[in-house]
Amino acid sequence: MKLASLIAAVAVGSAAVAAPQPFDVNDLVMMDRVGAPVLSPDGKTVAFTVRSTDYDANKGETSLWTVATDAGSPAKRVDEKTGAAGPQWSADSSGVYFLADHDDVNQLWHLPADDGEARVVSDLPLDINSFRLSPQGDRVLFSADVFMDCESDDALACTDSRLKERADNPATGMVYDRMFVRHWSQWSDGRRAQLFVADLNSDGTLGQPRWLTPGMDGDIPSKPFGSSAEFAFAPDGQSVYFSVNLDGASEPWSTDHNIWHLALDGTSEATNLTAGNKAWDAFPLPSPDGKTLYYLAMSVPGFESDRFAIMALDLETGESREVAPDWDRSASPLGLSDDGKTLYTSADNEGSHALFAIDVDSGEVAPLVDSGSVTGFDVAGNSTVVG
């Protein structure tokens, strides 16, 4: 396996070398921050975001960059927008999709890999929070905040209309009749993060979205720190997996997130795959052959700081097992080799946040990067990129 360090391969910022000086708080504020790397399916290019600071404007700006994995050319900025987030490669490595503002709405953009111009490919009335591309490259699974009592075929427009009515109302008070009122730093506005799916049209634009989870009164992904790692397409692109907490009024005291499976043809209801565990189940990752679902699970209900163990669910028998039961680290969202034999995860490890490889069959754990702090990684072919 080839392991490339994004930090070592990328030099972002001014090439000028300043005179030596003590490192102070201003230097810390002005440092560029490289986001999690995303490796193209062909293993040739890495996409990543860089957050820089506009000190005078007192704000941060995020841009999209790429760098070749052969280290033969420098990293380059490839978008003309600021605020780019969540880059994902198309299935054929021909371009990068990402989220960025368009007319004050967070929309989906596409950038060709051959130095073309980025263009917006969605035209939705509400922000896209996060998204996933199908393995076949013909569909987009995304999350958006909607009011649960809107009609399922009009949820995005209905929610947009109600938000505009609220903004025009001179009264600013909010009535809360259930928890959460605020989760950490995020206030509830009555909406839930919900899953939608849409086809990519022949011209590359996003088709009409369909609400997948009406009636499932929970946030997908979870709030306030959830991400697209909490939902995934099946390898054949015909169904999806996602995690959600549906404990309603008891949600503030519960960590009972479960992983659900839902076919996209609309012929069946969502199925709870982890109902037997009353603690947190999250971050579904199906194997390439579609026979196994890997995920992370806690074991102590109501305890957010419990250890995340790596689980393997046999989708035919419904039986689950812990992959590395003797490993006492708490795993982060997983990556999987193309042959399905090796899992990858990062975890806190003796003062570092390290990257590990885990043999699926034996549960043997091997450190790949065991010093410093791994902020993100991605796997494609026989290569792994680390940031």
Side-chain angles (χ1 to χ4, degrees):
M1 180 192 66
K2 181 170 68 173
L3 184 66
S5 169
L6 185 61
I7 296 175
V10 177
V12 179
S14 173
V17 178
Q21 65 179 42
F23 186 85
D24 60 22
V25 66
N26 192 65
D27 295 317
L28 179 64
V29 169
M30 295 303 295
M31 287 180 66
D32 290 336
R33 287 159 171 80
V34 178
V38 184
L39 189 57
S40 61
D42 62 13
K44 295 181 179 179
T45 313
V46 179
F48 58 97
T49 58
V50 174
R51 184 194 180 279
S52 56
T53 301
D54 185 336
Y55 191 87
D56 294 334
N58 193 30
K59 66 177 184 179
E61 294 183 345
T62 307
S63 53
L64 183 64
W65 293 66
T66 62
V67 65
T69 56
D70 62 8
S73 57
K76 60 179 179 179
R77 179 173 176 172
V78 293
D79 74 314
E80 297 299 328
K81 303 280 299 177
T82 58
Q88 292 182 40
W89 286 94
S90 60
D92 60 2
S93 303
S94 64
V96 180
Y97 291 86
F98 62 96
L99 298 177
D101 176 80
H102 180 70
D103 294 336
D104 296 324
V105 180
N106 207 35
Q107 302 281 9
L108 185 66
W109 291 70
H110 176 260
L111 176 71
D114 57 358
D115 296 326
E117 292 186 2
R119 66 168 182 138
V120 63
V121 297
S122 66
D123 185 21
L124 303 178
L126 299 177
D127 291 336
I128 297 176
N129 298 331
S130 53
F131 73 100
R132 288 274 198 172
L133 299 173
S134 70
Q136 294 72 28
D138 59 349
R139 283 174 168 168
V140 177
L141 181 65
F142 69 90
S143 174
D145 289 350
V146 296
F147 291 110
M148 296 298 293
D149 57 349
C150 283
E151 295 293 333
S152 61
D153 60 351
D154 194 37
L156 297 175
C158 164
T159 298
D160 180 53
S161 176
R162 287 171 60 174
L163 289 175
K164 290 176 179 177
E165 290 176 2
R166 179 183 290 181
D168 291 339
N169 191 333
T172 59
M174 285 282 292
V175 176
Y176 291 94
D177 57 8
R178 63 180 291 181
M179 303 285 276
F180 284 101
V181 173
R182 187 178 73 175
H183 195 168
W184 295 102
S185 61
Q186 187 174 94
W187 290 90
S188 171
D189 66 358
R191 293 182 291 166
R192 286 290 198 181
Q194 292 282 287
L195 286 183
F196 295 79
V197 68
D199 293 336
L200 282 172
N201 298 322
S202 57
D203 63 355
T205 59
L206 196 68
Q208 180 65 31
R210 177 164 60 92
W211 189 3
L212 292 178
T213 52
M216 300 193 77
D217 190 13
D219 290 306
I220 315 167
S222 58
K223 292 183 178 180
F225 306 123
S227 71
S228 60
E230 295 179 38
F231 53 88
F233 276 100
D236 63 3
Q238 300 304 307
S239 62
V240 296
Y241 299 94
F242 58 90
S243 61
V244 62
N245 184 333
L246 297 180
D247 274 349
S250 300
E251 183 184 1
W253 297 271
S254 168
T255 59
D256 191 17
H257 295 246
N258 283 296
I259 295 177
W260 295 70
H261 176 247
L262 177 63
L264 296 180
D265 59 10
T267 59
S268 59
E269 299 291 327
T271 303
N272 187 346
L273 301 178
T274 59
N277 182 27
K278 300 305 179 183
W280 201 325
D281 302 288
F283 308 116
L285 177 65
S287 62
D289 61 10
K291 296 180 179 180
T292 305
L293 183 71
Y294 299 102
Y295 63 99
L296 303 184
M298 294 183 178
S299 59
V300 182
F303 186 39
E304 284 188 328
S305 298
D306 192 17
R307 167 181 169 261
F308 263 131
I310 302 172
M311 307 298 294
L313 174 66
D314 186 315
L315 292 171
E316 182 176 349
T317 66
E319 296 182 358
S320 63
R321 66 178 179 89
E322 187 172 351
V323 174
D326 296 329
W327 190 50
D328 64 356
R329 304 300 192 251
S330 184
S332 297
L334 304 167
L336 184 61
S337 61
D338 287 353
D339 61 11
K341 295 181 179 180
T342 307
L343 286 162
Y344 301 89
T345 190
S346 60
D348 290 337
N349 183 59
E350 298 179 351
S352 299
H353 192 74
L355 179 66
F356 297 89
I358 301 99
D359 184 272
V360 166
D361 293 329
S362 69
E364 182 179 350
V365 180
L368 297 180
V369 179
D370 58 2
S371 62
S373 181
V374 172
T375 58
F377 70 94
D378 198 17
V379 182
N382 65 347
S383 298
T384 302
V385 63
V386 183

